[in-house]
Amino acid sequence: MPEQSPGSRPTLEAVAARAGVSRATASRVVNGGAGVRQPLADKVREAVEELGYVPNQAARSLVTRQSGAVAVIIAEPEFRIFSDPFFEQQVRGISRELTANDAQLVLLWVEGPGDYDRIARYLGGGHVDGALAFSLHDDDGLPALIRRAKVPAVFGGRPGAGAAAVPYVDCDNRGGARTAVRHLVGLGRERIAHIAGPRDQTSAIDRADGYRDVLFDADPALTAQGDFTEDSGARAMTELLERRPDLDAVFAANDLMAAGALRVLRARGRRVPDQVAVVGFDDMVTVAESARPSLTTVRQDIEGMGRLMVRLLTRVLSEGGDGRHVGAPASVIMPTELVRRASA
Amino acid sequence: MPEQSPGSRPTLEAVAARAGVSRATASRVVNGGAGVRQPLADKVREAVEELGYVPNQAARSLVTRQSGAVAVIIAEPEFRIFSDPFFEQQVRGISRELTANDAQLVLLWVEGPGDYDRIARYLGGGHVDGALAFSLHDDDGLPALIRRAKVPAVFGGRPGAGAAAVPYVDCDNRGGARTAVRHLVGLGRERIAHIAGPRDQTSAIDRADGYRDVLFDADPALTAQGDFTEDSGARAMTELLERRPDLDAVFAANDLMAAGALRVLRARGRRVPDQVAVVGFDDMVTVAESARPSLTTVRQDIEGMGRLMVRLLTRVLSEGGDGRHVGAPASVIMPTELVRRASA
DNA sequence: CGCCGCCGTGAGAGCGCTTTCATCCACTCA
DNA sequence: TGAGTGGATGAAAGCGCTCTCACGGCGGCG
């Protein structure tokens, strides 16, 4: 069935020969066909079809100096980053958009600072055209690493203040938090508590800022610290009830902590939302919908953020050439949306 | 700081010139240095160091016809495959082993049968040296797809019976199940129930087979069907208690279902393990350790399975040349281990 | 002492592609 | 009618690397 000896795929040369044109023309057609007359172009396309020609990416990369691949860098200070449903959606968005652009996704798993060298070398080696990275912690060395490697990159989530200025895509954590708190205010709540996320994650910081934007004079005792886990949410809730038994609403920095809070409120016999209204953040469907009562929360388009990361990177790539033009890279903040369910 | 004009990385030519040798010799050193005399080799290595030389993979691929990359194919019939902690560990193992082999991980996300064409073309295009895939369902088209693309591949998990014969890595589901059940027998239990997983997943089938290996004459009423979710485990447990209120042990096909069963047993006032002993499968730490009582279960080395997939693929690649030699590919079954905790 | 063989090295071909540059043709305009 | 124009095409030069092959020098053996 193969026209060639087994193992050897047809080359552009073969296509050109079959179509009766030069390699140059065949190449032009394969790459869009600009400047080739219709009948010739058709002949070439036909030959491509018949031979089942697929361009050799290596040869192409060699001359264009573009790999057609993008690295997705996963730093994993914590254990369970990868299996975060969040992350999954984001990577899916990235994957889809990359596919739409005929680019490949190379997964780079950073196993800690000791691994930075390897990653830097790889990135610097021109194996990928750009990188997409996720920065979760303030002290993450990733932004610096990527800057050093001089690879065009886009971050998912706003890197910490200490980090180098890099373009990123994030959702409007602060604005979303404001919406959530305003919603509670609109419900007539007057003693609105906040369960904050880890102090070293920008998303948590921004959400807390949003809370304070609306309730700038809130009693500090109305804020408790959590770490984005359900248990920490429960602990924080317990603490809050002790400090301010009169609270009538809680805005938790994520759904998991909101679920923990809900558990404690139920155990203490506080009716939700009658006595205490609860709002979460993220709209993690599995958590928010199965919570009792179902959770009012702030939704973000996570897959969309992934796609946007790719688009932004694509733009940086086409603009800056090979990373030489380091103009002010525009970051993108995506809007959020309040999803009303039963808890508030 | 760069010795070249910005953007142009040093070539092997430059290294050779600096070391005062020919390109051929430089190449030999870079690729292991066999057949080059010590002093010369040292000079070359020095030049590499000084210039910060990194081989151009595209050029190398062009001549060696090897990409140095391996595709990891994720078919996602269900929604949440990727965020399965299981999967995460396996991919981590793969990533680590690939890194150790200086190979890259290209992530291919299959968006359903409509996407098969694209994947087949990609795989057939010689962009990767081999593929690692995960087959979860009996009717999965992936094995056939990969066979058609003629790419050396290794599967994670035994593909269904309908699938083409492909090498795979799996844990000893059947043997692990036997161990679990024998453990219950050893505890003196006489009416041991089984909560089975989905009928179309080979792992679930094998575990059920293991149960029957030991208890070949068990009452069919002692087996209930679940789907690997916690809720299904709870439902199955309820059913079992209705059918055989006298049961004194349960072997669930995974930890999640065991947790569901535990919940129901507690609600019904059955003491675990006194009245009913429970054993799970997988040793998903977050589930098994936080269950009340903590879960006795069967552990598998998931990361190890990932690494093994890579090793197996590497072997296939080095043996079979470019997939021409399609000898009987040996699959690997990894041992399991019973982890005793409180529930049995 | 001379020949053979082997090891270490360098010259150079060529992997498959893109892209410049020259060429050629069909027109248009003076 | 002939020079000028511009677009379509082909020839060929590499991109950076590996690897074959030829070559030269050296040691061992007859």
Side-chain angles (χ1 to χ4, degrees):
Chain A
M1 151 243 286
E3 318 227 6
Q4 328 281 327
S5 63
S8 80
R9 302 189 292 112
T11 71
L12 193 56
E13 185 79 51
V15 172
R18 187 172 190 110
V21 301
S22 73
R23 210 167 58 236
T25 299
S27 173
R28 280 189 271 261
V29 173
V30 168
N31 292 291
V36 177
R37 254 193 282 258
Q38 202 48 248
L40 268 199
D42 286 346
K43 251 191 214 158
V44 172
R45 270 188 266 270
E46 206 171 297
V48 165
E49 199 63 37
E50 289 171 2
L51 261 40
Y53 170 74
V54 179
N56 180 322
Q57 181 62 37
R60 188 177 268 179
S61 293
L62 185 55
V63 39
T64 61
R65 297 155 170 293
Q66 297 236 325
S67 65
V70 168
V72 168
I73 306 181
I74 299 174
E76 197 187 20
E78 323 289 88
F79 193 65
R80 178 91 353 114
I81 299 288
F82 196 33
S83 64
D84 189 342
F86 236 71
F87 193 69
E88 158 164 26
Q89 281 187 60
Q90 209 150 348
V91 172
R92 176 173 342 177
I94 289 174
S95 166
R96 287 196 172 139
E97 190 69 25
L98 245 24
T99 297
N101 290 6
D102 271 322
Q104 294 316 313
L105 192 172
V106 175
L107 194 65
L108 252 39
W109 203 307
V110 187
E111 302 266 10
D115 219 18
Y116 279 13
D117 247 24
R118 190 191 108 232
I119 302 291
R121 208 167 331 122
Y122 183 74
L123 292 178
H127 299 182
V128 292
D129 297 335
L132 299 174
F134 296 88
S135 179
L136 290 152
H137 293 281
D138 240 358
D139 57 349
D140 203 346
L142 214 48
L145 162 71
I146 284 178
R147 248 260 295 256
R148 248 180 295 130
K150 294 191 182 146
V151 176
V154 171
F155 272 77
R158 182 167 69 81
V166 286
Y168 64 87
V169 173
D170 206 344
C171 82
D172 185 6
N173 286 303
R174 191 159 182 168
R178 279 198 296 259
T179 307
V181 177
R182 282 204 200 103
H183 173 66
L184 291 169
V185 171
L187 255 30
R189 308 296 162 142
E190 302 189 323
R191 292 168 300 281
I192 303 172
H194 177 49
I195 300 180
R199 280 187 237 270
D200 64 342
Q201 293 194 219
T202 55
S203 62
I205 296 170
D206 292 354
R207 290 169 196 182
D209 285 348
Y211 167 79
R212 273 189 298 272
D213 285 347
V214 180
L215 304 175
F216 48 90
D217 55 356
D219 178 359
L222 277 170
T223 295
Q225 189 66 40
D227 63 7
F228 276 167
T229 63
E230 178 164 352
D231 279 349
S232 78
R235 275 194 303 273
M237 191 69 246
T238 308
E239 215 176 286
L240 287 170
L241 285 174
E242 268 165 30
R243 295 207 293 241
R244 290 291 303 260
D246 60 331
L247 61 81
D248 57 7
V250 180
F251 164 53
N254 77 343
D255 287 350
L256 239 32
M257 295 197 298
L262 243 30
R263 203 175 72 209
V264 169
L265 289 169
R266 201 180 327 125
R268 302 292 168 93
R270 305 276 183 130
R271 289 195 312 279
V272 177
D274 303 343
Q275 295 176 326
V276 180
V278 176
V279 178
F281 204 111
D282 287 349
D283 194 28
M284 278 182 57
V285 179
T286 48
V287 176
E289 282 185 353
S290 65
R292 275 166 298 167
S294 65
L295 203 56
T296 291
T297 186
V298 180
R299 173 184 298 165
Q300 37 181 327
D301 178 7
I302 307 170
E303 188 186 322
M305 286 171 56
R307 306 186 85 114
L308 217 47
M309 287 175 72
V310 176
R311 296 221 188 97
L312 204 53
L313 182 64
T314 308
R315 201 159 68 206
V316 171
L317 287 177
S318 62
E319 273 177 11
D322 280 313
R324 301 177 317 167
H325 164 82
V326 190
S331 293
V332 179
I333 309 293
M334 295 195 65
T336 58
E337 173 197 4
L338 188 75
V339 179
R340 291 205 52 181
R341 294 206 181 83
S343 71
Chain B
M1 154 241 283
E3 318 227 7
Q4 329 279 327
S5 63
S8 79
R9 303 187 292 111
T11 70
L12 193 57
E13 186 80 52
V15 172
R18 187 173 190 110
V21 301
S22 73
R23 210 167 58 237
T25 299
S27 173
R28 280 189 270 260
V29 173
V30 169
N31 293 291
V36 177
R37 254 193 283 255
Q38 202 48 247
L40 268 199
D42 285 345
K43 253 193 214 156
V44 172
R45 270 188 267 270
E46 208 171 295
V48 165
E49 199 63 37
E50 289 170 2
L51 262 39
Y53 171 75
V54 180
N56 179 321
Q57 181 62 37
R60 189 178 267 180
S61 292
L62 185 56
V63 37
T64 60
R65 297 158 168 291
Q66 298 237 324
S67 64
V70 168
V72 168
I73 306 180
I74 299 173
E76 197 187 21
E78 322 289 271
F79 192 65
R80 178 102 337 127
I81 299 289
F82 196 32
S83 63
D84 188 340
F86 233 72
F87 194 67
E88 158 163 26
Q89 280 188 61
Q90 209 150 348
V91 172
R92 175 171 343 175
I94 289 174
S95 166
R96 287 196 172 140
E97 191 70 24
L98 244 24
T99 296
N101 289 7
D102 270 321
Q104 295 315 312
L105 193 172
V106 175
L107 194 66
L108 253 39
W109 203 306
V110 187
E111 301 267 10
D115 219 19
Y116 279 12
D117 247 24
R118 190 192 108 234
I119 302 291
R121 209 168 329 124
Y122 183 75
L123 291 178
H127 299 179
V128 292
D129 297 336
L132 300 173
F134 297 88
S135 181
L136 291 153
H137 293 280
D138 240 358
D139 56 349
D140 203 346
L142 213 48
L145 162 71
I146 285 178
R147 248 261 294 257
R148 249 180 293 129
K150 293 188 183 152
V151 176
V154 171
F155 271 78
R158 182 168 68 82
V166 287
Y168 64 86
V169 173
D170 206 344
C171 82
D172 185 7
N173 287 302
R174 192 161 182 167
R178 278 197 297 258
T179 307
V181 176
R182 281 203 199 104
H183 173 65
L184 290 169
V185 170
L187 255 31
R189 308 295 162 143
E190 301 189 322
R191 290 167 301 280
I192 303 172
H194 177 49
I195 300 181
R199 279 187 238 270
D200 64 343
Q201 294 194 219
T202 55
S203 62
I205 297 169
D206 292 354
R207 291 169 195 181
D209 285 348
Y211 167 80
R212 272 189 298 271
D213 284 347
V214 180
L215 304 174
F216 47 89
D217 54 356
D219 178 358
L222 277 170
T223 295
Q225 189 66 39
D227 63 8
F228 276 165
T229 63
E230 179 164 351
D231 278 350
S232 79
R235 275 195 301 275
M237 191 70 245
T238 309
E239 213 177 287
L240 287 169
L241 285 173
E242 269 166 28
R243 294 205 295 240
R244 290 292 303 262
D246 61 331
L247 61 80
D248 58 8
V250 179
F251 164 54
N254 77 344
D255 287 351
L256 239 32
M257 294 197 300
L262 242 30
R263 204 174 72 210
V264 168
L265 289 169
R266 202 181 324 126
R268 302 292 167 93
R270 304 279 183 126
R271 289 196 311 278
V272 176
D274 303 345
Q275 296 176 327
V276 180
V278 177
V279 177
F281 204 112
D282 286 349
D283 194 28
M284 279 181 58
V285 180
T286 50
V287 176
E289 281 185 353
S290 65
R292 273 166 301 167
S294 64
L295 203 56
T296 290
T297 185
V298 179
R299 173 183 297 165
Q300 37 181 327
D301 178 6
I302 305 172
E303 187 186 322
M305 284 171 56
R307 307 187 84 113
L308 216 48
M309 286 175 72
V310 175
R311 296 221 188 98
L312 205 52
L313 182 64
T314 308
R315 200 160 67 205
V316 172
L317 288 177
S318 63
E319 272 179 11
D322 281 312
R324 302 177 317 166
H325 164 83
V326 191
S331 294
V332 178
I333 309 292
M334 294 193 65
T336 57
E337 175 196 3
L338 188 75
V339 179
R340 291 204 54 181
R341 293 205 182 83
S343 71

